[in-house]
Amino acid sequence: MSRLFSTLKLRGLEFRNRIFVSPMCQYSATDGFPAPWHMVHLGSRAVGGAGLVMTEATAVTPEGRISPQDLGIWSDAHARALAPVAQFIADQGAVPGIQLAHAGRKASTAAPWRGGHPLATGEGGWRPLAPSALPFMSGHPLPEAVAESDMDRVVMQFRDAARRSLDAGFKVAELHMAHGYLLHEFLSPLSNRREDQYGGTLGNRMRLPLRVAAAVRDVWPRELPVFVRISASDWVDGGWDVAQSVEFVRHLKAAGIDFIDCSSGGLVPDARIAAGPGFQTPFATQVRREADIPTGAVGFITAPFQAEQIVATGLADAVLLARELLRDPYWPLHAARDLGADIPWPVQYDRAKPR
Ligand SMILES: Cc1cc2nc3c(=O)[nH]c(=O)nc-3n(C[C@H](O)[C@H](O)[C@H](O)COP(=O)(O)O)c2cc1C
């Protein structure tokens, strides 16, 4: 019996298996609105058998976009445009999820295939926001520090985006608190040098992310789970680390967060990251054990038996795959065959199912 293909239940929501599509920016939206690309891209991964199909980082406010081509959900019209995508995913038996994001000081950059450089205002860019006026790296614009009086606005932007996501039909909201974007920037002492109640001690650095988590939990139905993606480590001495992550996750759990998606890095450009197969899985294992909460492992998970081992031995409750699912959107269907799990194929494709 494959554990990877066993169901997972979080609150009242059941996932058909433990293979989740990791959020992936497509840089293909216009003014935050999805294109046919998003339907085909996300839809084919639902057809391919994943248990959860998550959108890319979807901005809660226009200035929270990484690039001008990011998805957004800062208006009801955006939610209406995303609704058919969520519906199609659900129709295939996958859970539709949305990653809610604010890019902080890493906002306003060109799409990778346009160079990825910071965009000046004349090129369609804008001045990014951050906990402190510290640029991501030299050559990046000086961000504007969020005023203490503006914290309520940030919390409301996430809460309103969550409410709209629900209207759009998403069943999982994942809060992006990783990869050096706004909420991670508040957590890490390397990017947060504030001297008010939002900076300094760990309790103060956690304050805004925890307020966001509580506000989203408040509007998200009791029977549906809220995920948080964290960077468990900055991979830099003196930065955010696993011990702080565990403490933070204990607070997230108390705030009603149900699942921690354990990534790492992204805060500073000069981190030395020992990337390789399963390199972040130990973070998922440690957070799961020490904070007693379901976790997802992500990063260089590519082989069916590797994914099976992670779930079957209790290293994590689910796996999130990104690049491997770009190579093969039908990876779950193929992995099931390798692992001897007999799962249904989409009826339209049933004649192609190996028997
Ligand atoms: C094209 C692309 C876009 C990505 N965009 C996002 C994103 O929007 N949000 C996020 O949290 N991670 C993003 N990531 C990171 C992935 O979700 C994942 O954590 C990372 O690629 C490691 O997993 P992998 O080895 O399976 O690719 C992106 C990765 C890729 C390749």
Side-chain angles (χ1 to χ4, degrees):
M1 269 297 288
S2 163
R3 290 284 291 149
L4 188 63
F5 284 91
S6 65
T7 57
L8 174 68
K9 196 165 180 202
L10 296 172
R11 294 196 182 234
L13 186 66
E14 190 170 275
F15 301 81
R16 62 182 165 185
N17 60 49
R18 291 143 185 268
I19 303 162
F20 294 174
V21 178
S22 203
M24 280 180 278
C25 288
Q26 299 296 296
Y27 310 100
S28 300
T30 304
D31 296 329
F33 285 93
W37 177 264
H38 295 91
M39 174 64 95
V40 173
H41 164 68
L42 295 166
S44 47
R45 274 133 201 99
V47 170
L52 165 72
V53 177
M54 186 123 60
T55 69
E56 67 192 71
T58 304
V60 299
T61 174
E63 66 275 14
R65 288 173 295 173
I66 302 164
S67 83
Q69 289 79 35
D70 286 18
L71 271 186
I73 189 150
W74 58 82
S75 81
D76 292 347
H78 289 91
R80 284 194 294 275
L82 280 166
V85 179
Q87 181 68 54
F88 182 86
I89 293 169
D91 287 347
Q92 309 316 310
V95 170
I98 183 167
Q99 189 185 48
L100 299 176
H102 189 306
R105 68 180 183 178
K106 290 171 78 176
S108 184
T109 61
W113 55 85
R114 294 176 182 173
H117 54 278
L119 287 175
T121 39
E123 297 174 286
W126 57 91
R127 186 162 183 210
L129 283 173
S132 304
L134 296 168
F136 172 62
M137 61 186 286
S138 67
H140 276 240
L142 193 68
E144 184 184 335
V146 185
E148 198 173 354
S149 56
D150 280 343
M151 297 295 171
D152 290 356
R153 191 161 48 91
V154 176
V155 173
M156 266 163 39
Q157 287 165 344
F158 273 94
R159 189 202 58 196
D160 292 349
R163 190 181 39 72
R164 287 186 205 108
S165 302
L166 195 65
D167 291 346
F170 291 100
K171 304 291 183 208
V172 166
E174 174 170 282
L175 305 177
H176 199 347
M177 301 198 183
H179 300 169
Y181 299 118
L182 187 71
L183 297 173
H184 181 190
E185 290 162 18
F186 269 86
L187 292 170
S188 177
L190 301 177
S191 44
N192 183 343
R193 301 277 169 78
R194 299 179 72 94
E195 291 177 353
D196 60 8
Q197 57 165 338
Y198 290 94
T201 63
L202 176 60
N204 281 355
R205 284 181 277 122
M206 294 192 302
R207 192 178 307 278
L208 180 66
L210 288 175
R211 283 193 60 195
V212 167
V216 168
R217 183 69 265 176
D218 198 41
V219 295
W220 206 250
R222 284 176 73 89
E223 67 277 11
L224 295 177
V226 178
F227 291 17
V228 169
R229 172 165 271 198
I230 61 165
S231 275
S233 172
D234 287 341
W235 299 96
V236 179
D237 285 343
W240 183 255
D241 57 20
V242 197
Q244 293 171 83
S245 292
V246 168
E247 187 58 24
F248 177 48
V249 170
R250 289 189 180 127
H251 283 80
L252 288 173
K253 186 182 173 189
I257 300 302
D258 304 285
F259 182 94
I260 307 296
D261 171 4
C262 294
S263 188
S264 73
L267 189 91
V268 287
D270 53 351
R272 303 225 329 237
I273 305 178
F279 77 112
Q280 295 173 142
T281 302
F283 296 135
T285 308
Q286 191 173 345
V287 168
R288 183 178 193 261
R289 190 176 55 232
E290 295 183 14
D292 190 23
I293 189 167
T295 62
V298 64
F300 289 85
I301 299 169
T302 55
F305 281 95
Q306 178 194 15
E308 175 69 23
Q309 189 241 351
I310 290 170
V311 173
T313 61
L315 301 180
D317 297 274
V319 290
L320 292 105
L321 276 63
R323 288 165 294 177
E324 192 59 20
L325 279 168
L326 295 186
R327 295 177 193 114
D328 178 7
Y330 306 117
W331 190 92
L333 298 180
H334 298 150
R337 187 184 50 201
D338 290 356
L339 297 172
D342 186 20
I343 60 164
W345 278 40
V347 285
Q348 296 89 338
Y349 290 3
D350 188 62
R351 285 175 65 186
K353 180 176 173 180
R355 295 180 205 276

